[in-house]
Every structure is written in C-alpha cells, then in structure tokens.
Amino acid sequence: MNRDQKLSPGRIAAHILLFAMAVVVLTPLVWLVAATTKGKNDQFHYTFFAPTITAQNFLDLFKKTEVLQRNIWNSTFLASITVLVQLFFSSLAGFSLAKYEFKGKKPITILMLATLMIPGQLTMAPLFELLHRLGLVDTYLGLIIPGAVSVFGIFLFRQSISQVPDELLQAARMDGCSEFGIYWNVVMPVSRPMTGAFCLISFMGTWNSFLWPQIILHNRELFTLPIALSQMVGVYSQEYGMLMAGTLIAVLPVFILFLVLQKEFVAGLTAGAVKG
Amino acid sequence: MRAFPYGKAAFMFVVLAFVSSGMLFKNAATSRAHRLPAGARKVTFWVFADTHYEAYKKSIPAFEAAHPGVKVDLQLVSNNGLAARLQNAFLADLDVPDMVEIEISSSGTFFRGPLKDIGFADLTERIHSTGLWDKMVHARFAPYTNRGHIFGLPHDVHPVQLAYRRDIAEQLGIDVNKIETWDDFIKVGHRITQLNKRYMIDLSDSGGDNLETCLFQRGGGYFDPDGKCILDNETAIKTMCWYVPLVAGPNRIGNSLGWGQVLTKAVEDGYTLFLFCPDWRSRSFEKDIPRVAGKMALMPLPAVQHGGARTSTWGGTMLGITKRCKEPDLAWALAMHLYLDKPQLAERFRQTSILPAMSEAWNQEAFHEKNAYYSGLALGDSYARLAPDVPFQYTSPFIGVAKAKLGSALVACVQEYSAHPDRDLEPFARAELKRCANDVRTLINRNPY
C-alpha cells in the first residue's frame, strides 16, 4: 500500500460522505428498477422490491403499446443520425475556425457564441412555421435538420483542434493532401478523445429531447421514446408499472453507452486540463 | 477502424444508425398500410386520454363503414402538450385538427379574444336544433360556454362522492347513512381522528383541487357566467374559513396525502378513511389500491345544509370542432357517433367508470352492474343518481391563473391558521382572497376584449 492509499481519517470521512451521496443518487434508480418488477397488487404496497418478482410490466408494455418497439427504433435512429450529422458539421466548422484565417472570422465566432445565450424556446414558433412551410412537420427531417449543427460542438471542436500543431497540417499540405484530406486524415484522428465525449453528450441530448419532438411529431409511429412514454401519463389513470418499465428502457441505452465509452468521455473532457 | 477518422465512439453510432434504419425500413410496409388512401375525406381528431383513444379506436371502423371514403385520423396527444400545441396551431393557423378533446382546466384558455377569433366552431345552433341540449346534463355545458356561445360538447359529468374504508368505518361505529351534512361528517371526524395516527379524510392543504370541489358545492367558483372573477365573494371566503380548520390546527380531521405510494399506503393502513372520489377516481383507486377490494364503499358527499346537493364535480373533458375543419357536418356526425351511441357509452363506462353526459345512456345494463371493489355497490347508478345535482362551473381564459391563485391563498391561510389557531381567520382569508382575485382581475383588465 503506497502513501496515497493509506487509510487516513480524512480519507475514511471522504469515503463515508461519497457513499452517502451515492446512496442518495442511486435510491431513485433502485426504486425505478424495483417498480418494474412489481405486480399490480404490489406496486404501491412495498416501497422497494416485492417478495414476488414479475416481468409482466415489460410484457404489458410491448403488448399494450403496439408501436413502442418502433418508438425505440425511432429514438435510436434519430439519435445516432443526429450525432453523426452534428459531429460532421460541427467538427468541420470547428476546424475552419481553429485553423483558417478569413474575413469576418471573429464576428462569426462572436455571433455563434451569442446564439448560445438565446433560449431554444424563443426560436420554436418561427422554426415551426418554417418547417411547416417546408413540409417537414411530422417527419424525421424536421428533427434532424434543425439539430444538424451544434454551436456547442463547434466551440468544443474549435478549442480541441486549435491544440493540433500547425506543423502537422503544413506537413500534410506539403505531401499534397487536400484541405478536406487534412481534416479527415490528420485533424480528426488526433481529436478522437474529444469526438468520443461529443458523441456521448450529443447522443444524450437527442435521446432525451422532449419538447421539440413533441411539437414536430404527430404520428404515433414516428414518436420518439420520451414522447411515447409521456403518452402513458394519463389524466384519469396511470399504469405505473408499465411507465416505470418504459422509463428503465429509456435510461438503459445511455447507461450502457456511458459504460462502453467512459474512457473516451473522460479523456475528452480532461484533454488539455493538465498543462504539460 | 483506422480508415474511420472519428474513432470507436462515432463508429458505434454508424452501426446503430444502420441497424435502426434497417429496422425502420422493415416496418415501413406496416406504416404505409396505415396511410390514408389518396382522395380520401379525412377527419383529424386529437385526444389526450389513452382510455378515450382506445375506446374510439374500436368504434371508429363502424363510423368509417357507414361513411364510405371517409378516414378518421385519430391521434393521441399528451395532455401536457396538447393545449400548447393547439394554441400555437390556432394562432399560427397551422396544423389545426378538425376535432379535439380538451381537458376542462385548459378549455377556457381557448376562449380568449373576440368571438370571431376563437378557434372552435360555435355549436350552439347545432346543439339546440338536434335536441342534444335536452339529452345532456345542462351544467356540463357551462364550462364550455363563453359569451352565450357553446364551443364544446361535454364528454362526462364527473359527480363527486366520498370513497371510504367500509370495514374500518363499521369497526369504529360510523353509520354513513346518518351522515347527511358536513356538520355531521365533521362531528364524526373529531371523534375518530387521532393526530398523526388516523384521519377522517384526505384533504389537500396546499393544492386547490379539494377546496375547489367544496367551493363548487357551495355555489361558488372562480368566475361567474360573464367571466368575472368571483374568487373573493362571500361564498369563497366562507368556504375558505370552513375548509382551513379541517386541514390545519389542533382540531383538524384531514390530512394531505397526494397521489401514488403515500396515498395507497395510507388507505391500506387505514390512516385515512374517506377520500373525495369523482367517477374517474373510483377507477384509479381500483387500480392503485387493489388490496382493499371489497373493503371500500362510496357515499354521497355530505350536503352543506339539510336538503342540499349531495355532490360536486371534479374534472371534465369537452369535444370541440375547429373552425378550420373543412367538413364540419362530417365532424359533427363523428361526434354524435362517439358521444351518443348508447352501447358504446356503456362499454366505455365499463372501461373507465366515467359517467357520460348523455343521461339517456344511464339506463344501460353496464350502469347497474355491481362492483365488487366497492362492496357490491352499483357504481353507475350511484353516480347517475347524483349527476342531475352537479353544480355549474364557469371558466375563462384566465382559469389557469385563478386556479394557481386559489392554491396560493389556501397555503397562506393554512400557514396563518397553523400559527394562530385562536385568531379569527376571516379577516385574513378575506384580504388574501381579495389580493388573489385582484391579481386575476388585473390580468383580465389588460385584455382589451
């Protein structure tokens, strides 16, 4: 055991505090999992797990909500496509802002950052009208196109790519590489940690997105998972077990992705945090 | 992977995109089958309650068969999003459905502005000329009437009773048949309530739902028929002063349970004996508290005074036809098909326990069926008996604000009474309600219409 790992009173206190905080954070998740395993008679009778565990809520969920499977695929499709489209455009824009000098670069950057301060709700009405006139209401494109470029992503990539040495780019140019080739073969491979972090952030944003899909999508078959789940919240009655099962299904992909990509996510977020 | 410059994470999303597009493509054939045939006459109908959606889905094929070439595009829209979406659609004149069901608490918001600008078609003439006026409970037209014009058909009546733990009430020697007025009820409540152990009734001390029900029963409300705010009239003040000591102070008999797990546990444990129970909530109890099946029963609401109405109302839904509807006659025919077909109404009652507004339907067998959960009571009959006494309630575009203000006045009065139970609450309640009502009036006065 080295010095850092010794059990000092401070370290023990920190662990107790962290454990208590973990309990606070995890309790609702445990409650959620427990709720999905309880039958109708037990749903509110037991605070957490009931003696009898059932998968009925999941079976009911897929049986009674006939298009739920489709809703899950809709969410997967929209989230993954949006991630890829955002990644492509945001990294390209970030690359140009980081590595090229052109007229109006500064005002464009300021204007771009200024848009981060405009609440999305403000632009919803005009955007809805625009999409309606383009015939994109109630289509996948109505969700993909407005979300194709992320200002946050541009800024993230601009910062990340600005750390790529210019000499690398010059060397590629001297070898006859095109500007897009430099982006594709040189810049993006060295920005992979940031790409991983951005993908996860973008996926979570799109996967959990509620308000805009709720406005744009009208056909049940096109609904994303959060919209489909919100339909289960009845005014007169609720199927709590089914709702919890649906919520768990909605949470799981993000959870799994985070487990798979956590190395890249952490690396992306801490890149440049330590000065060498 | 080397040829793909974005790395493992992005590659995973490429795979996901391919797999999901494949799955969606596979399902596309099913979707195409659901699309409307070219040239079909279409009625787009938005509903917010999944129980209605499921019931209408079963009944619409019969309507389509009776109207060749007509397709009903029934859409389930979340109630949270429906009001905002419809309001936007009316304002922007975009994507307006032909027919829509609206929950009572948001229906008033659509009656803003000059009559010509209201998004719903005026149904007054149709309702009177078809004799529908006489077939339905009149009080239920009131919330959907504005400046003398009826903009919605009532879906339901929602009379309120009290649900209670029959077994415990019997053990405690409570004879519900002897409880006729609220005074009788409170007297029993004081006898059996033991603070923090057992309460007579579930009453909210922070939200206006139960208070509103009591207010309606006393002939009060948020607005008068002309849309003027009456939150601070004598009825409201008296109701507030009567209600607050039931939920606050040392002699309280009510406790606020909210919804979900806490409510279930409290009813199962006999912590709370009586609960406000409109027809729709009777089904919620059956689903959420199944362990007390056969131990529950219903009794009419105690009257304010001897001979007074033994009910009130809580909730509601209207069906409106929008002005953008290209075929209002067709939409009306569909509305009649859904709201007046007796066998269908009976079946819907079996599914939802909601009493339809059309009184002629109440003689169907479904309404006389005994309900085991409520100790063999004929659920439909018990609500139908009270339905003619359901009080009138009036709405306004400012109903949302008024509801919030009533809730905040209740919280203030509960705090005041908890701190000073010996003081006379009336001056405080009067001032608080006046302040709230004036806030609502300020907003109303800003509206030039």
Side-chain angles (χ1 to χ4, degrees), chain B residues 263-275:
Chain B
L263 177 78
T264 301
K265 191 85 180 125
V267 176
E268 281 182 357
D269 294 349
Y271 182 80
T272 297
L273 300 191
F274 289 77
L275 306 108

Side-chain angles (χ1 to χ4, degrees), chain B residues 424-441:
Chain B
D424 182 10
L425 182 65
E426 204 238 88
F428 184 87
R430 185 178 290 276
E432 193 59 28
L433 284 168
K434 186 154 194 69
R435 187 183 63 76
C436 291
N438 283 340
D439 286 350
V440 178
R441 287 185 192 114

Side-chain angles (χ1 to χ4, degrees), chain B residues 159-177:
Chain B
V160 177
Q161 301 197 73
L162 287 180
Y164 67 99
R165 280 290 300 269
R166 181 191 49 76
D167 54 336
I168 300 178
E170 283 171 7
Q171 282 167 24
L172 293 169
I174 302 171
D175 183 356
V176 295
N177 296 316

Side-chain angles (χ1 to χ4, degrees), chain B residues 200-268:
Chain B
M200 182 70 169
I201 185 168
D202 165 40
L203 285 178
S204 177
D205 56 4
S206 54
D209 279 346
N210 300 144
L211 175 60
E212 169 192 293
T213 304
C214 296
L215 193 57
F216 289 149
Q217 191 189 17
R218 282 158 176 74
Y222 298 101
F223 300 95
D224 69 7
D226 299 323
K228 290 189 179 121
C229 183
I230 53 166
L231 262 183
D232 57 349
N233 68 7
E234 287 306 312
T235 309
I237 294 163
K238 275 184 191 162
T239 308
M240 183 69 91
C241 293
W242 169 83
Y243 183 91
V244 170
L246 300 180
V247 292
N251 296 318
R252 65 184 183 273
I253 62 164
N255 190 30
S256 186
L257 298 174
W259 302 79
Q261 210 161 32
V262 178
L263 177 78
T264 301
K265 191 85 180 125
V267 176
E268 281 182 357

Side-chain angles (χ1 to χ4, degrees), chain B residues 24-246:
Chain B
L24 290 176
F25 185 74
K26 204 180 124 194
N27 290 335
T30 331
S31 306
R32 274 195 291 273
H34 286 282
R35 297 242 166 90
L36 298 178
R41 293 158 72 202
K42 187 177 81 163
V43 180
T44 305
F45 182 20
W46 288 2
V47 296
F48 66 87
D50 57 346
T51 44
H52 297 191
Y53 178 80
E54 293 301 330
Y56 297 161
K57 221 165 60 173
K58 285 180 193 155
S59 124
I60 281 171
F63 177 80
E64 288 173 341
H67 297 80
V70 172
K71 199 84 191 153
V72 179
D73 181 16
L74 181 68
Q75 297 182 18
L76 179 66
V77 181
S78 163
N79 190 45
N80 297 331
L82 188 141
R85 206 163 114 184
L86 188 62
Q87 199 76 265
N88 293 341
F90 280 153
L91 289 172
D93 209 16
L94 301 168
D95 191 39
V96 180
D98 298 304
M99 295 165 71
V100 61
E101 279 191 344
I102 306 278
E103 212 269 329
I104 197 166
S105 55
S106 48
S107 63
T109 57
F110 292 95
F111 306 147
R112 195 186 296 262
L115 280 171
K116 67 176 177 57
D117 289 340
I118 290 176
F120 287 108
D122 182 356
L123 302 178
T124 319
E125 175 57 31
R126 282 182 191 271
I127 287 168
H128 287 291
S129 63
T130 54
L132 204 60
W133 176 258
D134 299 320
K135 290 181 184 168
M136 291 189 158
V137 178
H138 290 174
R140 299 308 284 173
F141 283 108
Y144 316 125
T145 302
N146 191 274
R147 287 163 269 182
H149 300 264
I150 305 171
F151 292 101
L153 286 179
H155 169 269
D156 38 50
V157 189
H158 293 334
V160 177
Q161 301 197 73
L162 287 180
Y164 67 99
R165 280 290 300 269
R166 181 191 49 76
D167 54 336
I168 300 178
E170 283 171 7
Q171 282 167 24
L172 293 169
I174 302 171
D175 183 356
V176 295
N177 296 316
K178 287 187 180 158
I179 298 176
E180 202 195 319
T181 64
W182 278 109
D183 288 342
D184 301 336
F185 185 84
I186 293 166
K187 211 178 282 173
V188 176
H190 284 144
R191 178 168 68 80
I192 67 112
T193 297
Q194 296 171 348
L195 294 187
N196 301 321
K197 280 186 185 164
R198 185 173 62 216
Y199 289 92
M200 182 70 169
I201 185 168
D202 165 40
L203 285 178
S204 177
D205 56 4
S206 54
D209 279 346
N210 300 144
L211 175 60
E212 169 192 293
T213 304
C214 296
L215 193 57
F216 289 149
Q217 191 189 17
R218 282 158 176 74
Y222 298 101
F223 300 95
D224 69 7
D226 299 323
K228 290 189 179 121
C229 183
I230 53 166
L231 262 183
D232 57 349
N233 68 7
E234 287 306 312
T235 309
I237 294 163
K238 275 184 191 162
T239 308
M240 183 69 91
C241 293
W242 169 83
Y243 183 91
V244 170
L246 300 180

Side-chain angles (χ1 to χ4, degrees), chain A:
Chain A
M1 187 179 280
N2 65 33
R3 223 181 115 203
D4 288 344
Q5 288 170 324
K6 270 184 192 162
L7 287 175
S8 62
R11 202 176 165 84
I12 293 171
H15 274 86
I16 291 172
L17 186 70
L18 286 172
F19 180 77
M21 285 163 74
V23 168
V24 170
V25 171
L26 291 176
T27 300
L29 289 174
V30 175
W31 189 92
L32 172 73
V33 175
T36 63
T37 64
K38 286 189 277 191
K40 282 191 174 116
N41 284 5
D42 297 333
Q43 195 52 249
F44 290 137
H45 186 71
Y46 298 99
T47 309
F48 287 100
F49 290 93
T52 323
I53 284 177
T54 174
Q56 196 58 44
N57 291 319
F58 290 96
L59 296 175
D60 284 350
L61 182 69
F62 285 98
K63 208 166 73 185
K64 288 186 184 168
T65 48
E66 70 264 31
V67 289
L68 190 84
Q69 223 172 335
R70 169 135 190 154
N71 300 142
I72 294 172
W73 287 118
N74 285 339
S75 272
T76 313
F77 172 73
L78 282 167
S80 47
I81 289 288
T82 306
V83 166
L84 294 171
V85 172
Q86 274 190 1
L87 175 63
F88 180 69
F89 287 118
S90 303
S91 58
L92 263 182
F95 172 52
S96 62
L97 287 174
K99 293 296 176 191
Y100 293 95
E101 290 305 324
F102 53 91
K103 211 175 166 187
K105 179 178 163 182
K106 210 169 182 182
I108 286 175
T109 311
I110 292 169
L111 191 70
M112 204 181 70
L113 289 174
T115 62
L116 283 175
M117 285 185 276
I118 300 171
Q121 288 82 350
L122 267 185
T123 59
M124 274 178 182
L127 191 58
F128 178 80
E129 186 164 354
L130 181 68
L131 290 179
H132 186 267
R133 292 194 194 290
L134 293 172
L136 295 179
V137 170
D138 208 19
T139 64
Y140 293 132
L141 282 177
L143 293 178
I144 294 170
I145 292 176
V149 180
S150 153
V151 175
F152 168 75
I154 295 173
F155 188 68
L156 210 66
F157 279 108
R158 175 182 171 267
Q159 295 304 98
S160 162
I161 294 170
S162 63
Q163 288 174 17
V164 176
D166 287 340
E167 289 77 10
L168 265 181
L169 275 63
Q170 294 298 354
R173 278 190 193 109
M174 284 169 74
D175 286 345
C177 195
S178 67
E179 293 305 307
F180 187 77
I182 292 173
Y183 159 81
W184 189 260
N185 294 310
V186 179
V187 173
M188 287 322 291
V190 296
S191 307
R192 277 182 186 174
M194 187 52 74
T195 308
F198 175 75
C199 282
L200 201 59
I201 293 168
S202 167
F203 179 82
M204 281 200 293
T206 318
W207 182 266
N208 294 327
S209 172
F210 180 77
L211 192 58
W212 186 242
Q214 165 107 320
I215 293 168
I216 283 294
L217 300 176
H218 298 175
N219 185 341
R220 265 193 133 185
E221 292 191 352
L222 297 184
F223 281 178
T224 56
L225 192 54
I227 309 298
L229 288 178
S230 79
Q231 303 293 336
M232 287 187 207
V233 181
V235 176
Y236 298 116
S237 66
Q238 313 235 19
E239 294 284 353
Y240 288 100
M242 266 169 60
L243 187 60
M244 294 303 136
T247 307
L248 185 65
I249 287 173
V251 170
L252 271 184
V254 178
F255 183 70
I256 292 168
L257 271 175
F258 186 78
L259 283 185
V260 174
L261 300 177
Q262 61 174 318
K263 230 186 220 174
E264 298 201 20
F265 182 67
V266 175
L269 290 187
T270 53
V274 183
K275 239 181 147 79

